[in-house]
Amino acid sequence: MTKIKLSYETDSELEEVLQLLGDSVVRCKEQPAKGKFKRAYIDIKPGVLGAVLATKKAENPLFTGKTS
């Protein structure tokens, strides 16, 4: 299983990531904010992350998987 630690400011940012990962999400546990950022721990099915990123890259050749 792959585990992702996500820091975000708004709930809509978390929703976008969960939508991107789709049915591959096994569990998402949200944590209270520490300072400016909220945290979420996301478990996804094994072997899915590469396929999700490859699909997004095919849809948009400028997609790098990086946000900054």
Side-chain angles (χ1 to χ4, degrees), residues 18-38:
L18 293 176
Q19 185 178 13
L20 175 69
L21 295 172
D23 294 335
S24 62
V25 175
V26 175
R27 180 176 66 150
C28 177
K29 184 176 180 183
E30 297 177 49
Q31 295 290 313
K34 274 192 171 178
K36 182 178 179 181
F37 296 100
K38 299 176 184 178

Side-chain angles (χ1 to χ4, degrees), residues 2-61:
T2 302
K3 297 178 182 266
I4 300 171
K5 179 181 177 183
L6 178 69
S7 298
Y8 61 99
E9 293 181 84
T10 65
D11 291 336
S12 63
E13 292 173 327
L14 174 61
E15 290 302 319
E16 287 178 31
V17 171
L18 293 176
Q19 185 178 13
L20 175 69
L21 295 172
D23 294 335
S24 62
V25 175
V26 175
R27 180 176 66 150
C28 177
K29 184 176 180 183
E30 297 177 49
Q31 295 290 313
K34 274 192 171 178
K36 182 178 179 181
F37 296 100
K38 299 176 184 178
R39 294 167 294 141
Y41 297 91
I42 304 168
D43 295 341
I44 62 172
K45 297 174 186 172
V48 175
L49 188 58
V52 169
L53 295 177
T55 301
K56 288 298 168 189
K57 179 97 174 151
E59 292 172 0
N60 180 358

